[in-house]
Amino acid sequence: MTHRLTIFFILLLCAHFCYAQNTDTAGLDSIVNWLEKHVSASQDSTMLGENSRKAIQLSKKNKNQVALAKSYYFLAVYHREYSKLDSTLFYLNQVKDLYANEKNDDALAETHLELKAFYTLKAEYDKATEHAYIALDLFEKTKNQKGIAKCYSHIGDLLYYESNYARGVEYCDKAIAIQERLGHKEDLALSYRYKANSQLFSGVNLNEALTSINKSIDIYKSLGEFGIPMMASINWRGNIYKYMDNYDEAIADYQANFDNSKKLGLQRYLIPSLANIGHVYLMQGKYKDALPYNLEAIDIMQKTGRIRNLWENYMHVSTIYESLGDYKLAMYYHKRYVDAYIDLKENAIRGLESEALSKYETGQKNATIFYQDEKIAQQKKMQILYIVMAGLLAFIL
């Protein structure tokens, strides 16, 4: 009798263990499925963070490395979009290490593209370039055409920040050719946006840039995408309108994004709308109207760590104060602009010098000369501001 009871309790414990394990597995699958569906839904941002953490705990408990990598990725997205930007790097590195251990080259390459996007937001273009070319190398290894095209698109984006606009358009066209053949519409929409970015400053007819960005917008509409990717394309169409001197159309696009960002609770996506509305007013000579927009954009950039365009807003605020006759503040912001711009371009040059890039591109010498000329021009402007202030002081004395 005692022997039978012992066997019964052992079977009961096994059944309980199996039930608990199956429950944990089902719960993990359910949470991961929810995360995959809601990762881009801004209204679910709080739940995105909470469910990512739950998924990480269950993944570790079940020793499920694939689910763990996905869960770390979702938490990285949460921090990138809604919380502490710098925390994104920690979780992306966790994802990278897991995929490297699993020898999943395609997933590892996608993670390197996520790291490229992170470092681009931080204006650390040297590191962004390294990750983009590591991703390309991995996708070429697996002959993944979709991944190769994505890398071409992202390299085109980086070439924009290196002021190599014509080459940026070439890389985007290489991506577009593959994506159109494969029918990957979401990737195609991004490539058209990156292409329009470079076309704006490459010297082509601005109507060509407008055509590219409208293709991006039309694709997102067909996909039912009206969130952050669509907003990025709407913002760039505003930029194109701005340089076409179509100020009313530009303001309309920026204002639409501003209202949508408010509605979705996306404070950091107020940055481009604020900065660009301020820039339009600056271009129109409405300096007092422009100032609060650019100052608020600077404030949000500094708070969120998304400093990619901080240098540009320092430059605009310096110009505004100079135009308003406040030379002390003009010089203060111009100094901040010069420092930020030099850091930006030195990062770009380090990217051009990178070992990964050297396998595919040359041209460091020309880029370095270009940035040195820019640096000299800004130093001359600083000298002019000093002379103006000295002259004012002498006049007062």
Side-chain angles (χ1 to χ4, degrees), residues 19 23 32 63 76 122 130 134 147 159 169 191 196 219 229 233 289 326 329 331 351 379:
Y19 174 78
T23 301
V32 170
K63 296 181 180 178
K122 298 285 288 181
E130 287 284 347
I134 290 171
L159 287 164
V169 171
S191 294
I219 293 170
S233 291
D289 292 333
D326 191 333
L329 281 173
M331 188 168 65
Q379 287 172 340

Side-chain angles (χ1 to χ4, degrees), residues 16-32 54-55 57-64 67:
H16 176 74
F17 174 77
C18 291
Y19 174 78
Q21 190 174 40
N22 288 336
T23 301
D24 284 345
T25 302
L28 175 60
D29 291 343
S30 176
I31 293 173
V32 170
K54 287 180 185 177
Q57 291 175 351
L58 286 172
S59 299
K60 289 179 177 178
K61 187 176 180 181
N62 290 347
K63 296 181 180 178
N64 187 330

Side-chain angles (χ1 to χ4, degrees), residues 324-343:
L324 293 172
D326 191 333
Y327 297 106
K328 183 176 180 181
L329 281 173
M331 188 168 65
Y332 169 76
Y333 278 100
H334 189 77
K335 174 68 165 61
R336 300 187 80 172
Y337 154 61
V338 170
D339 291 343
Y341 188 79
I342 289 171
D343 287 344

